[in-house]
Amino acid sequence: MRFRLTRVSGAGLVLFCLLLGAVQSYALQLNLTDSKGTCLFAKWEMNFTISYETTNKTHKTVTISEPSNVTYNGSSCGNDRNGTKIVVQFGSAISWEVNFTKEASYYFIDSILLSYNTSDSTTFPGAADKGSVPVNNSLQTVKFPLNNIYRCNSLLIFNTDSVVQRYWHIHLQAFVENGTVSKKEHVCEEDIPVTTVAPIIHTTVPSPTTTPTPTPTPTPTPKVGNYNVTNGNATCLLATMGLQLNITEEKVPFIFNINPATTDFTGKCLPQTAQLRLNNSQIKYLDFIFAVKSENRFYLKEVNVSMYLANGSAFSVSNNNLSFWDAPLGSSYMCNKEQVVSVSRTFQINTFNLKVQPFNVTEGKYSTAQDCSADEDNFLVPIAVGAALAGVLTLVLLAYFIGLKRHHTGYEQF
Ligand SMILES: *[C@@H]1O[C@H](CO)[C@@H](O)[C@H](O)[C@H]1NC(C)=O
Ligand SMILES: *[C@@H]1O[C@H](CO)[C@@H](O)[C@H](O)[C@H]1NC(C)=O
Ligand SMILES: *[C@@H]1O[C@H](CO)[C@@H](O)[C@H](O)[C@H]1NC(C)=O
Ligand SMILES: *[C@@H]1O[C@H](CO)[C@@H](O)[C@H](O)[C@H]1NC(C)=O
Ligand SMILES: *[C@@H]1O[C@H](CO)[C@@H](O)[C@H](O)[C@H]1NC(C)=O
Ligand SMILES: *[C@@H]1O[C@H](CO)[C@@H](O)[C@H](O)[C@H]1NC(C)=O
Ligand SMILES: *[C@@H]1O[C@H](CO)[C@@H](O)[C@H](O)[C@H]1NC(C)=O
Ligand SMILES: *[C@@H]1O[C@H](CO)[C@@H](O)[C@H](O)[C@H]1NC(C)=O
Ligand SMILES: *[C@@H]1O[C@H](CO)[C@@H](O)[C@H](O)[C@H]1NC(C)=O
């Protein structure tokens, strides 16, 4: 009897520890309800690294993670369309607000507004008082399917000039129907392994004894994205491609597939140059700059990139002396097989199913393409022409000699 009792309390202790563990691993959790039940459910972790100015004109950096006194004042279910938001306060130091917009089959984050209050001298010691400083970013390219619980264990990083925002272990469902959180999980792209290195935390329970060794797995090919740039109402640049970035700053290359679904694009078209700029949560910018050269041809002249690595540090490379994707003006350039654009010693772009037209786009459509296989087959053309000519010459000579022979035999008959 006594034995049983100890066992029960032992199990109870384990359960208690598990609960405590769960509470600790998801410090932020919100379950908003309305008359039908749950209308919004979220649990996640986040921290912010903020650089601020001090009274003696130097800069200090602090990392703020969830304190014990988190409040969610101002969070709201809204109605079925708007007003849905999560608002979080870390005392008086941080206020964080996310609002959602619903579409027919998905919803998206309209904006993330982070404000930090340098008047809070315990969080920002020695700060030159700036009061509340807002930092705004939007995430409208990420589509969260309705009636699914979105799960993203991976670390997502957003950098702005003075703030690094980190989010991980996200479970989210906004616009919950019928009051019950969905059992269907929608896993974010970042949780689907694509890299040969493993910079991402997948486990909720870290085991201190084993450090995960990166196991090289064959990198999947990136999804093909369609990008375009408009000038007024007209499309002036078209690009279709799957992009994989290869950064070799360290011994193990960092391979990164660009996900078109979560990547924004802009650009501009000028008479002699055209630019396509991609950006997403990890890539501050990736610029492709095309130029016109003599003989009425265009080519990829310049690539500029600035992105954040898994550890949050920035990586930038630029090269304006490139010569790739060369084709006549008025046509497009295409290459279905994998091609490597080597930008620098530490940075290369692998392209898949590439098609680009940076100039003279008419009616928003690609013109005839020059295929990259033609680049290699070019030397075959003179050989083929030569061989054909030799063949014709042989035939002519053969015909001549046969004719001559006939002629002779004809003579002898008479
Ligand atoms: C902030 O989050 C990152 C990513 O999870 C983590 O590596 C880092 O230790 C955190 N910093 C603090 C101070 O909590
Ligand atoms: C949040 O609301 C609670 C109770 O309504 C209140 O006591 C607290 O001061 C509020 N916190 C903030 C940061 O507004
Ligand atoms: C979300 O917040 C931003 C700024 O805080 C505001 O401009 C925008 O209109 C809001 N959107 C919705 C759908 O409430
Ligand atoms: C900023 O922090 C100070 C000191 O904690 C507080 O008095 C003030 O109300 C805060 N301002 C905002 C906008 O939260
Ligand atoms: C919510 O309830 C309505 C009516 O019963 C049903 O048609 C709908 O499929 C339910 N939605 C979900 C996500 O279960
Ligand atoms: C990445 O770049 C390195 C160095 O250029 C190269 O050895 C490696 O094969 C590349 N990996 C991929 C997947 O392109
Ligand atoms: C690319 O980067 C270089 C160096 O940072 C800069 O000088 C150049 O203006 C950039 N090109 C474009 C088109 O922004
Ligand atoms: C982040 O990683 C890069 C290479 O992968 C390294 O050069 C850099 O020093 C690292 N930054 C920090 C802050 O650890
Ligand atoms: C540009 O590249 C060409 C050939 O690749 C090379 O000859 C030239 O020196 C390079 N120019 C600069 C400024 O690097």
Side-chain angles (χ1 to χ4, degrees):
M1 192 67 196
R2 192 180 281 162
F3 179 70
R4 253 191 86 140
L5 212 78
T6 6
R7 283 202 33 156
V8 169
S9 59
L13 190 70
V14 169
L15 192 68
F16 177 74
C17 289
L18 279 175
L19 280 174
L20 202 67
V23 169
Q24 272 170 355
S25 94
Y26 299 107
L28 294 156
Q29 181 154 344
L30 186 62
N31 193 347
L32 290 178
T33 52
D34 61 10
S35 56
K36 279 181 278 175
T38 300
C39 62
L40 184 147
F41 173 79
K43 59 179 183 182
W44 75 106
E45 293 187 71
M46 63 183 178
N47 72 24
F48 310 111
T49 300
I50 298 171
S51 160
Y52 65 96
E53 200 182 302
T54 61
T55 42
N56 54 12
K57 295 271 174 254
T58 58
H59 283 264
K60 246 193 181 150
T61 300
V62 288
T63 296
I64 303 161
S65 36
E66 304 103 18
S68 49
N69 57 338
V70 180
T71 48
Y72 300 90
N73 298 4
S75 298
S76 151
C77 283
N79 54 35
D80 197 36
R81 201 130 278 281
N82 47 45
T84 303
K85 58 186 175 185
I86 302 176
V87 187
V88 175
Q89 299 87 25
F90 289 0
S92 66
I94 298 279
S95 156
W96 181 85
E97 179 172 341
V98 171
N99 61 10
F100 301 90
T101 297
K102 186 176 152 185
E103 297 287 346
S105 62
Y106 65 91
Y107 60 95
F108 61 88
I109 291 178
D110 195 54
S111 81
I112 301 176
L113 178 66
L114 167 73
S115 304
Y116 58 98
N117 179 1
T118 56
S119 309
D120 184 321
S121 55
T122 42
T123 313
F124 302 100
D129 195 350
K130 293 274 191 328
S132 183
V133 186
V135 178
N136 213 336
N137 54 300
S138 103
L139 208 81
Q140 299 188 359
T141 47
V142 182
K143 295 185 166 83
F144 301 88
L146 286 169
N147 304 322
N148 276 254
I149 180 149
Y150 173 86
R151 192 255 285 166
C152 201
N153 282 329
S154 301
L155 178 61
L156 307 176
I157 303 173
F158 300 95
N159 280 255
T160 46
D161 288 341
S162 57
V163 178
V164 180
Q165 303 175 41
R166 298 186 197 83
Y167 303 96
W168 69 102
H169 289 164
I170 304 166
H171 290 73
L172 169 72
Q173 188 178 354
F175 305 102
V176 175
E177 250 180 55
N178 303 345
T180 334
V181 174
S182 180
K183 297 235 172 0
K184 248 196 314 180
E185 230 179 30
H186 177 81
V187 177
C188 70
E189 286 285 332
E190 288 77 2
D191 276 7
I192 300 160
V194 290
T195 56
T196 51
V197 286
I200 276 155
I201 316 128
H202 282 280
T203 48
T204 44
V205 189
S207 57
T209 44
T210 54
T211 43
T213 41
T215 40
T217 44
T219 317
T221 53
K223 289 210 182 94
V224 174
N226 287 305
Y227 308 103
N228 63 66
V229 178
T230 52
N231 198 354
N233 280 334
T235 303
C236 59
L237 179 151
L238 286 169
T240 303
M241 53 200 176
L243 295 169
Q244 184 176 72
L245 310 182
N246 180 356
I247 298 159
T248 42
E249 280 224 301
E250 307 226 300
K251 280 196 209 86
V252 185
F254 179 53
I255 314 284
F256 179 81
N257 282 350
I258 293 186
N259 176 10
T262 57
T263 302
D264 252 337
F265 51 92
T266 54
K268 53 174 177 261
C269 299
L270 298 170
Q272 297 293 311
T273 62
Q275 182 198 41
L276 172 66
R277 165 168 288 194
L278 308 187
N279 79 291
N280 62 28
S281 68
Q282 196 149 12
I283 301 170
K284 207 166 155 192
Y285 58 81
L286 171 60
D287 286 349
F288 294 90
I289 296 125
F290 301 86
V292 171
K293 63 176 185 180
S294 55
E295 307 137 19
N296 287 325
R297 298 180 75 86
F298 69 82
Y299 70 111
L300 175 68
K301 183 182 188 302
E302 185 173 351
V303 167
N304 277 1
V305 69
S306 180
M307 62 183 287
Y308 304 104
L309 300 179
N311 63 11
S313 78
F315 170 82
S316 304
V317 157
S318 68
N319 187 340
N320 65 359
N321 191 29
L322 301 175
S323 189
F324 293 98
W325 309 347
D326 187 312
L329 283 175
S331 67
S332 57
Y333 176 86
M334 73 179 273
C335 198
N336 282 328
K337 61 171 198 229
E338 181 179 353
Q339 231 188 359
V340 176
V341 173
S342 182
V343 180
S344 80
R345 205 174 38 79
T346 56
F347 181 64
Q348 74 177 47
I349 304 170
N350 303 328
T351 64
F352 300 81
N353 298 317
L354 171 84
K355 194 166 186 182
V356 284
Q357 185 166 349
F359 298 100
N360 306 57
V361 174
T362 47
E363 290 166 3
K365 290 199 199 83
Y366 283 108
S367 311
T368 355
Q370 170 167 316
D371 199 297
C372 61
S373 57
D375 301 351
E376 289 138 35
D377 293 346
N378 265 351
F379 73 98
L380 286 176
V381 172
I383 294 173
V385 169
L389 276 178
V392 168
L393 203 72
T394 318
L395 279 178
V396 168
L397 282 175
L398 215 66
Y400 174 77
F401 283 119
I402 289 168
L404 210 67
K405 193 146 183 242
R406 277 232 177 106
H407 215 63
H408 275 285
T409 26
Y411 248 171
E412 277 164 13
Q413 263 179 359
F414 287 95

